[in-house]
Amino acid sequence: MSTADRVAVTPGIARLHASPGLAGPGRLGLVTNHTGVLPDLRPAAPALLEAGARLVALFGPEHGLHGTEQAGESEAAQADPTTGLPVHDTHRSSGERLDTLLIDSGVDALVYDLQDIGARFYTYVWTMFDLMVSAARTGVRFVVADRPNPLGGLVSEGPLLDPAWASFVGRAAVPVRHGLTCGELARHLNASAVPHVAGSAADLTVIEAVGWRRAMDAGATGLPWVAPSPNIPTSTTATFYPGTCLFEGTNLSEGRGTTQPFEIVGAPYIDARFAPSLAELALPGVHFRDLRYVPTFHKHAGRTLRGVQLHITDREVFAPVRTAVAMLATLRRLYPGDFDWRTSDGGVEGTGHRHFIDLLWGSDRLRRAVDAGEDPLPLCDPPAPPGRWAGDDVLLYS
């Protein structure tokens, strides 16, 4: 059976490749990276050129056009060796600097094609937002070639971000696990947030993904999984990420520097109590295995750590955000003199020395509840199901 026979979903970029006119007239810039591929894994940029699209520039996000860089980094601007097109680095660019970049690029429209993973603090959607703001200010049309949300679209978790805690890991009021596709999120942000920054909404078009349904996770689409960044190697990693990414805001390793990032967490001070204490919570859809590991880089590099590996037993009931929050509360209870929060910026611009967990959570309420010994799980309740928190009119899929 060929790959094409297994694919149940046609992403927006494949529809654009078949009909380049869907992006409208004029010179196109493509916001993309290594995840911007057709279902047969052909890179989108050369494929679009071969199809006759008037593509004149490429724009890369965090991790770079080829996805080689670690969190908080990007590749230097250069010419793409495959297409010869200029590559503009958008990471850490916003406001007037990004406006100037768009004007100088000479594009009439931007086409956005990046694989999101459904968590507010994954920065690709905020690259999209910042470019939508600049597009609105400079008169550039904005086109989203939509892709499925790999976590599905039936569940949201966590609170809306408090604007006082806005950063590049959250620009606007979105839940931690948002349950929308990039196209749906773009529609919501274009109505609710872009006008407040740009003065008007962007001229937005969404090229929908055909065949996707909200109940589908990454495996159900039949689309090949391309790791969207160095530490999201599999779709299972993406399932854990909306929860275990919160450990970036602590002094625990979140598994970077191992082959199982975001599936394992640990620290030098963890002992035999941690895994059994988590098992006693009987959290739905997950088991915890006691383990030891040595990260090769990032936190505690070269040291033997003890912690747990999370094993999903039922994807339909596993709640990554609630699970991680319960783990944080357990850590504070078991290791009050050792567990701590990070105050570095975590690679996010403009954060100063605020607690990084507050930026990830979207407020300081989680940190304060955990430190006070209060039950933080009620904080995980979403404002409403997907689409309802954003407004039913943003939904493109049933």
Side-chain angles (χ1 to χ4, degrees):
M1 182 182 292
S2 69
T3 300
D5 292 332
R6 295 193 300 269
V7 171
V9 174
T10 303
I13 197 68
R15 295 184 59 210
L16 180 61
H17 173 253
S19 303
L22 290 174
R27 296 158 296 185
L28 303 179
L30 181 63
V31 186
T32 192
N33 64 4
H34 59 291
T35 66
V37 295
L38 302 180
D40 62 5
L41 292 175
R42 279 183 294 165
L48 289 174
L49 286 171
E50 292 171 4
R54 196 178 172 189
L55 189 59
V56 299
L58 304 177
F59 297 79
E62 182 182 8
H63 307 294
L65 182 70
H66 302 99
T68 61
E69 297 300 315
Q70 289 292 329
E73 303 297 332
S74 61
E75 298 163 352
Q78 57 187 321
D80 174 39
T82 302
T83 62
L85 295 174
V87 179
H88 302 282
D89 178 19
T90 67
H91 186 51
R92 298 183 184 274
S93 291
S94 59
E96 292 184 6
R97 181 178 176 183
L98 200 55
D99 294 352
T100 300
L101 187 152
L102 279 192
I103 293 169
D104 291 347
S105 73
V107 301
D108 299 302
L110 284 176
V111 176
Y112 177 92
D113 180 40
L114 291 168
Q115 180 60 65
D116 182 41
I117 63 173
R120 183 217 295 145
F121 27 67
Y122 205 65
T123 62
Y124 292 169
V125 295
W126 304 115
T127 291
M128 178 180 74
F129 175 78
D130 289 345
L131 285 167
M132 288 174 65
V133 168
S134 285
R137 287 198 292 230
T138 59
V140 171
R141 291 180 290 108
F142 200 88
V143 180
V144 176
D146 210 9
R147 290 182 175 272
N149 184 323
L151 306 184
L154 295 178
V155 179
S156 296
E157 284 188 89
L160 296 175
L161 175 137
D162 180 337
W165 300 93
S167 73
F168 194 46
V169 289
R171 298 285 200 213
V174 171
V176 173
R177 177 181 176 184
H178 52 71
L180 303 180
T181 67
C182 283
E184 291 173 329
L185 195 56
R187 284 158 58 94
H188 168 64
L189 294 171
N190 200 41
S192 65
V194 170
H196 294 293
V197 182
S200 65
D203 182 356
L204 174 66
T205 299
V206 177
I207 303 174
E208 297 176 33
V210 174
W212 189 68
R213 299 292 180 265
R214 308 205 80 81
M216 289 181 171
D217 63 8
T221 67
L223 295 170
W225 178 261
V226 177
S229 56
N231 290 291
I232 309 290
T234 70
S235 59
T236 297
T237 317
T239 303
F240 289 117
Y241 180 83
T244 49
C245 182
L246 295 173
F247 285 89
E248 289 188 357
T250 74
N251 62 354
L252 278 84
S253 159
E254 63 275 6
R256 292 181 188 272
T258 78
T259 60
Q260 296 169 304
F262 301 108
E263 295 185 40
I264 61 178
V265 298
Y269 54 82
I270 300 298
D271 58 23
R273 295 174 292 166
F274 189 39
S277 295
L278 295 176
E280 290 174 2
L281 299 177
L283 295 166
V286 63
H287 286 167
F288 300 92
R289 181 178 69 87
D290 181 61
L291 88 161
R292 293 168 176 81
Y293 65 97
V294 181
T296 59
F297 65 89
H298 204 54
K299 297 179 197 169
H300 310 300
R303 301 183 65 181
T304 299
L305 310 181
R306 191 166 186 173
V308 294
Q309 180 179 1
L310 288 77
H311 293 265
I312 297 175
T313 59
D314 187 338
R315 284 179 179 269
E316 291 189 5
V317 299
F318 174 61
V321 177
R322 293 181 68 86
T323 298
V325 167
M327 293 171 70
L328 292 172
T330 301
L331 285 161
R332 174 60 82 194
R333 176 173 58 83
L334 293 178
Y335 312 106
D338 296 301
F339 173 76
D340 204 1
W341 310 102
R342 288 178 66 198
T343 54
S344 63
D345 66 8
V348 178
E349 92 287 352
T351 62
H353 295 286
R354 294 191 289 180
H355 288 92
F356 192 47
I357 188 66
D358 298 347
L359 303 179
L360 292 170
W361 189 249
S363 76
D364 61 359
R365 294 184 63 197
L366 174 62
R367 176 173 56 86
R368 292 185 180 279
V370 169
D371 285 349
E374 300 170 356
D375 179 9
L377 290 181
L379 300 177
C380 301
D381 294 336
R388 299 296 296 275
W389 66 263
D392 291 329
D393 57 338
V394 309
L395 295 184
L396 295 167
Y397 311 93
S398 59

